Amino acid sequence: MTPALPQRPPFAIRTRLLTPHAHGGIRWEDDVLVRVDEGGVIGSISQASPDAVDAGDVVDLRPWVLMPGLIDLHAHLPQLPNAGVGAGLHLLAWLERYIFPLEREFDEATAERVAPAAFRAFARAGTTTLVAYGAIWQPSLDTCFRAAEAHGIRAVLGKVMMDRLSYDIEREPEEVLELSIRQSMELCETWHGADDGRLAYAFSPRFAVSCSAEMLAESARLAGETGAYWQTHLSEDVNELAEVARLFPDATDYTDVYDRAGGLRPGAILAHAIHLSDREIDRLAESGAAIAHCPASNLFLASGAMPLGRYLQAGLSVGLGSDVAAGPDVSLFGVMRAGAYTQNGLHSLGLAAHPAMPPAEWLRLATLGGARALGLEERIGSVEAGKEADLIVVDPATTLPLGDDGSPDRHDGPDEILSRLIYRIQPDTVRGAWVRGRLLAT
Ligand SMILES: [Zn+2]
């Protein structure tokens, strides 16, 4: 029987629990009582003693498993309708053919249709925090924020900024620069920190190919002044690298373009960052900027394979991103799988010292890794008393190869459950998602 999920805090649930620990490894509990207080904060996690369970207000979710909500560090809201389309094209051709036309049409009416459906799709896949780009139009970004406000998902959004190689073909570059800065600032003033920080703003210069040095520097300066995030793309595709070198001949390398703009600091989220030199890796680690690792996207567009082990060893802050629509699916469990296959591929070709990380480490990237990238590791990213109740509940039986009855000798310890979530996730595996204890529409 399907239990009725709690809709709003306060509530108490009896459940199995699987969460990464702040200091490594995972915590697994077969039967605990999790209480969420009125403010949507996890009040306590205790053994499910008969007294506590008999209190009357407890919803029993077993054998489902409670986990922290997943944190997607990189996606594009206007692109969702094109997810899964365009494989075989390289980045710059894919943008021109499939993406710029779609973003150009992302007006208020389109955003009103796409954004609520997108947030439901992310929540259905277990994502409770989403960092995403909109299009360049200010009113459509307002619409996206209003949709996130109503839906309940935790969202960091930003208006795309481009003053060259843009789909805003009616305006002169100087006019675009001034307008884009002003509109981004207005959106930031309206939305950054809204609902006690559930909504936040990210200044979002698309990437160095689309932005003048002035736009990069101005956006970074405003992010610094307002405490908002700053997001862009870095070192995704070799043709892009060549174009950046041509446009910024004085820069030492791609990373240096953003360094010179003042963008590299905690709160900066750089998507992809696949083709980095040792100098760039060290500089990024030193700066505190975070990387949104998007392996499904990188395979889809044949962009490259990130040497993840090397980055983690260097102390880089890394989380995961779906990068929909270059990534074909919103599920971060699917992204973990793509990442693991990528690392196994590198290892089998002799290009990486170690095979893929164990499942628990992938979960860590998708939860605490993302929280650290956002500076929110004290508030979200794991299921712990005192943290906000950004939670999901999954039904492990949906991932069994032969269903519940056909797998009598199945292993269902935490390692097996997590491994199947990553390698055999199904559309109905995630049964519920909450932000601050508020159930999200899926
Ligand atoms: Zn992207």
Side-chain angles (χ1 to χ4, degrees), residues 283-350:
R283 175 60 195 130
L284 286 168
E286 175 190 65
S287 74
I291 289 176
H293 178 32
C294 308
S297 163
N298 299 154
L299 292 177
F300 188 80
L301 290 180
S303 302
M306 177 192 278
L308 177 62
R310 163 91 179 83
Y311 288 13
L312 294 176
Q313 218 167 29
L316 268 177
S317 171
V318 180
L320 295 183
S322 64
D323 192 25
V324 172
D329 194 58
V330 295
S331 171
L332 279 189
F333 288 111
V335 169
M336 295 180 220
R337 181 172 63 233
Y341 285 154
T342 301
Q343 296 307 313
N344 279 349
L346 286 174
H347 178 65
S348 65
L349 293 169

Side-chain angles (χ1 to χ4, degrees), residues 253-270:
D253 46 43
Y254 199 160
T255 297
D256 191 45
V257 172
Y258 296 148
D259 214 353
R260 286 171 183 232
L264 303 184
R265 65 161 86 89
I269 298 165
L270 310 166

Side-chain angles (χ1 to χ4, degrees), residues 2 27 39 122 214 237 258 304 351 431:
T2 303
R27 176 180 180 184
F122 280 103
E214 293 75 20
D237 170 282
Y258 296 148
L351 298 171
R431 293 302 175 107

